Amino acid sequence: MTSHNFGKGEIGGSESRQRDMNNGSFSDTTQWQEETDTAKADLGMVHASKGGRFSRRALLSTMGMAGVALVGGGTAGALDLLQGGSEEGRGNGNGGNGGNGGHGGGNPYQQQQRIVIVTDPQFGASPDKTDNTAEIQAAIDYASAQGGGVVFFPCGEYNITGIQAKPNVTLKGENAGASRLLNTAVNGNPAIQYRPAPETPYDANNVDMLANFWMEDLGVIGNPQSGAGIYLLYTMKRGRAKNGLNRCVIQSHGGIGVHWRYGDSLSITDCDIGKNGSHGIYAFEFSNVMTVVGGVIHENGGNGIYWNHVASNCTVFGCSIHDNAKAGVLAQNAEQPSILFCAFNRNGKTTNLPGVQLTGFEQKKVVAATVMGCLFGDNSPNGYDISCSYVESANLYNNYFYGVNSGKPSYIRLATWAKGISIRGNHWHTTKGSPAKITTNNSPNISYFLDDSGDTGPLLNQVLVGRTLQYTLGQASDTLLQSTVGDSEPLPRFRIQAGGSMEFGNGAAMTAAFGPDAATGGLGLRSSVRLSSDQGLAAASSDYSTKPLQLGGYCLWVDAGGKLRIKQGDPLSDTDGTVVGLQD
């Protein structure tokens, strides 16, 4: 097998360096650039013919200038690009004569990439074959055995029944619409998987972790009887190496689109994940730092994205999440889930689940969640756009709630133990009918902070309609509600404390007027307070049984005949007690 070793300084280097270009030669970089420009203009850059051959101009467009040199090298098997310096410079951190890419410095995976083409005769994959599983696996195994590299899929559709991912390998196509892997398995087998051990019991200390596995510009298409599109079990932990998908299409699998368990640092960028039988993306248990950026998650049979018992720091950013059978995003028992600048439309239409569902259990709650800058429209027939249950601390900021096409409003639903929920800066659009509401269903253990003073919608006028607002404070003397006139008054004019005391003042001094009275042991006007009125006093009734006026241990009332009566203790009848006055 021919190996080509070019340092970064050599590619496009001196005119005196000649490169053999497949039955010809380029004597200088000008001729090289002319061929580059011609290739970029070629619309048939990657073409899979019946013989499984491809246009070397395709590799040029995908791999850049280094690809030109390699494709022209006439390799019979894998094409190797070692961007680690020239023969003189390899092993030197500065790259020697080969420029600044020596093996001794920087990221070794970026410095060294081998390009393996699955249609090369050594491997023999072809879009014409009914099954390319063995051929593609051989190319992946070869790249992995060489220390890693790029396994390239020329344009075409390749039937497979399930291939195994390997560390330090990138599976790359021309684009996700042109280079596609079709999983024809009908036994629930995933299209691409890494499973070095059983799912249970969890044992990260005795397995080989997957590291630096990437997929780029590939379509992975399943069928109703196939399993997951991508299944990754035990990926490298604690950020030592990442794995990810870039610009891929993962569609029509019988199971989950992307299934990830046990690991750290999975990146999913600009991917189309849809029409899968179960969830679009599922991360389960001990999975940290999943980042989903800029993709479309749609029409999946379960949740669009499901984070289940993930440890921390999972983020979805700038995605369109729509028409999923269940919730758009379900974060369950998750720490620090962040849902930022996404659009949620028509999720949960048949299951009455919301655009975003934050839910945990009494023993394991969702903590430190953020939903910010998102647009919600027509999710759930009941209008639940965001639902919080067993959530401890969540920020719901600057979202736009559009309502439900049926005319129902958008809801933020706080149900069954939701504490420390901060709601601010949101906007509720009202043209769909009813105004927006926050609903608690009168559930206990609900506390939230609302500050939508900048909101142009009607939330402030509606939030308490038919609802119970409950605050849990630590001490009876803690202030629940107070008001001042202006900013300069040292004391409030009115204050209610958690223990039930109500105080009034003039801005400089306050008097406790109502509440528990230590002197009497009762609840009512304080013993130190005098009741006065410039309009007199009025009682709704003078019947003896209502005790309209009680003075110490005496009751004073007017009987049916207009006589004023007094009795020590409770009167037993309207004529009980002693007459102390008559009406003239």
Side-chain angles (χ1 to χ4, degrees), residues 179-196:
S179 301
R180 307 206 309 169
L181 304 180
L182 306 183
N183 187 7
T184 60
V186 293
N187 58 355
N189 208 32
I192 299 170
Q193 67 174 323
Y194 183 80
R195 190 184 304 199

Side-chain angles (χ1 to χ4, degrees), residues 86-355:
S86 66
E87 292 291 345
E88 302 96 321
R90 279 187 291 133
N92 183 328
N94 294 324
N97 293 336
N100 59 357
H103 286 181
N107 184 328
Y109 184 63
Q110 291 181 351
Q111 293 166 1
Q112 178 172 308
Q113 294 188 64
R114 294 170 177 84
I115 304 169
V116 177
I117 303 168
V118 296
T119 54
D120 188 281
Q122 178 179 347
F123 308 112
S126 169
D128 291 337
K129 290 187 175 181
T130 58
D131 187 5
N132 287 280
T133 303
E135 292 82 352
I136 292 173
Q137 192 65 57
I140 293 172
D141 293 346
Y142 173 80
S144 180
Q146 299 301 311
V150 175
V151 176
F152 182 74
F153 294 80
C155 175
E157 294 183 341
Y158 301 84
N159 294 323
I160 60 171
T161 57
I163 59 178
Q164 303 296 316
K166 292 294 180 72
N168 300 320
V169 171
T170 297
L171 307 183
K172 185 175 181 63
E174 178 191 357
N175 63 64
S179 301
R180 307 206 309 169
L181 304 180
L182 306 183
N183 187 7
T184 60
V186 293
N187 58 355
N189 208 32
I192 299 170
Q193 67 174 323
Y194 183 80
R195 190 184 304 199
E199 292 181 355
T200 57
Y202 172 72
D203 185 10
N205 296 320
N206 296 304
V207 298
D208 294 324
M209 296 284 192
L210 181 66
N212 279 325
F213 172 73
W214 292 85
M215 292 178 55
E216 298 182 343
D217 305 302
L218 269 178
V220 183
I221 312 301
N223 69 81
Q225 286 76 46
S226 63
I230 314 295
Y231 180 85
L232 303 179
L233 178 69
Y234 289 110
T235 60
M236 186 63 75
K237 295 187 72 63
R238 303 305 173 212
R240 287 173 285 179
K242 293 187 69 174
N243 302 275
L245 287 69
N246 297 326
R247 302 176 303 278
C248 291
V249 173
I250 314 294
Q251 284 191 3
S252 302
H253 299 276
I256 298 167
V258 178
H259 187 172
W260 181 45
R261 300 166 73 103
Y262 309 147
D264 281 4
S265 303
L266 180 67
S267 171
I268 302 175
T269 303
D270 294 330
C271 291
D272 181 330
I273 301 175
K275 300 182 180 180
N276 298 290
S278 185
H279 313 299
I281 298 172
Y282 180 55
F284 177 73
E285 206 165 19
F286 309 117
S287 301
N288 300 281
V289 198
M290 169 184 275
T291 305
V292 184
V293 178
V296 182
I297 317 296
H298 63 101
E299 299 170 271
N300 294 288
N303 302 291
I305 299 174
Y306 186 5
W307 294 323
N308 185 5
H309 202 71
V310 295
S312 63
N313 290 322
C314 285
T315 300
V316 54
F317 181 96
C319 293
S320 174
I321 302 174
H322 66 86
D323 294 290
N324 296 286
K326 295 186 177 180
V329 172
L330 169 56
Q332 181 171 306
N333 306 344
E335 297 177 1
Q336 297 174 284
S338 298
I339 299 122
L340 310 173
F341 308 107
C342 295
F344 293 89
N345 292 284
R346 299 178 302 277
N347 297 287
K349 298 295 287 184
T350 59
T351 56
N352 203 31
L353 291 173

Side-chain angles (χ1 to χ4, degrees), residues 385-457:
D385 280 321
I386 301 176
S387 179
C388 299
S389 179
Y390 287 105
V391 176
E392 192 166 41
S393 178
N395 299 313
L396 312 180
Y397 290 169
N398 304 109
N399 300 289
Y400 188 101
F401 298 91
Y402 194 73
V404 182
N405 285 334
S406 62
K408 291 189 176 181
S410 291
Y411 282 93
I412 291 178
R413 180 173 180 261
L414 307 180
T416 317
W417 214 103
K419 292 192 173 183
I421 313 300
S422 180
I423 304 169
R424 63 172 63 189
N426 299 286
H427 176 79
W428 273 262
H429 191 66
T430 61
T431 60
K432 295 297 180 183
S434 303
K437 293 180 181 178
I438 294 175
T439 175
T440 65
N441 294 335
N442 295 320
S443 300
N445 297 311
I446 303 292
S447 66
Y448 61 93
F449 169 77
L450 177 66
D451 179 13
D452 268 2
S453 56
D455 177 25
T456 57

Side-chain angles (χ1 to χ4, degrees), residues 314-567:
C314 285
T315 300
V316 54
F317 181 96
C319 293
S320 174
I321 302 174
H322 66 86
D323 294 290
N324 296 286
K326 295 186 177 180
V329 172
L330 169 56
Q332 181 171 306
N333 306 344
E335 297 177 1
Q336 297 174 284
S338 298
I339 299 122
L340 310 173
F341 308 107
C342 295
F344 293 89
N345 292 284
R346 299 178 302 277
N347 297 287
K349 298 295 287 184
T350 59
T351 56
N352 203 31
L353 291 173
V356 172
Q357 184 173 4
L358 308 176
T359 186
F361 301 105
E362 186 173 358
Q363 298 80 10
K364 177 66 176 178
K365 299 177 177 66
V366 176
V367 298
T370 298
V371 181
M372 183 172 72
C374 295
L375 183 146
F376 294 89
D378 205 24
N379 297 289
S380 170
N382 283 345
Y384 294 147
D385 280 321
I386 301 176
S387 179
C388 299
S389 179
Y390 287 105
V391 176
E392 192 166 41
S393 178
N395 299 313
L396 312 180
Y397 290 169
N398 304 109
N399 300 289
Y400 188 101
F401 298 91
Y402 194 73
V404 182
N405 285 334
S406 62
K408 291 189 176 181
S410 291
Y411 282 93
I412 291 178
R413 180 173 180 261
L414 307 180
T416 317
W417 214 103
K419 292 192 173 183
I421 313 300
S422 180
I423 304 169
R424 63 172 63 189
N426 299 286
H427 176 79
W428 273 262
H429 191 66
T430 61
T431 60
K432 295 297 180 183
S434 303
K437 293 180 181 178
I438 294 175
T439 175
T440 65
N441 294 335
N442 295 320
S443 300
N445 297 311
I446 303 292
S447 66
Y448 61 93
F449 169 77
L450 177 66
D451 179 13
D452 268 2
S453 56
D455 177 25
T456 57
L459 176 63
L460 290 178
N461 295 327
Q462 295 293 330
V463 65
L464 297 180
V465 175
R467 306 297 173 192
T468 299
L469 181 63
Q470 175 177 319
Y471 287 89
T472 303
L473 303 176
Q475 304 293 329
S477 59
D478 290 345
T479 298
L480 175 66
L481 179 67
Q482 69 179 29
S483 65
T484 62
V485 177
D487 298 328
S488 60
E489 294 184 346
L491 292 175
R493 300 288 184 110
F494 171 72
R495 178 164 59 197
I496 299 177
Q497 294 179 327
S501 295
M502 185 180 299
E503 299 175 301
F504 297 89
N506 57 12
M510 298 194 73
T511 300
F514 181 85
D517 194 330
T520 65
L523 180 66
L525 289 176
R526 296 291 181 88
S527 58
S528 58
V529 174
R530 291 183 179 180
L531 187 63
S532 63
S533 171
D534 59 1
Q535 299 296 321
L537 296 176
S541 172
S542 65
D543 184 79
Y544 76 96
S545 62
T546 61
K547 293 182 289 189
L549 184 59
Q550 186 171 358
L551 304 174
Y554 292 87
C555 286
L556 191 67
W557 76 99
V558 178
D559 65 18
K563 300 174 183 178
L564 180 64
R565 293 177 178 269
I566 188 170
K567 181 184 179 182

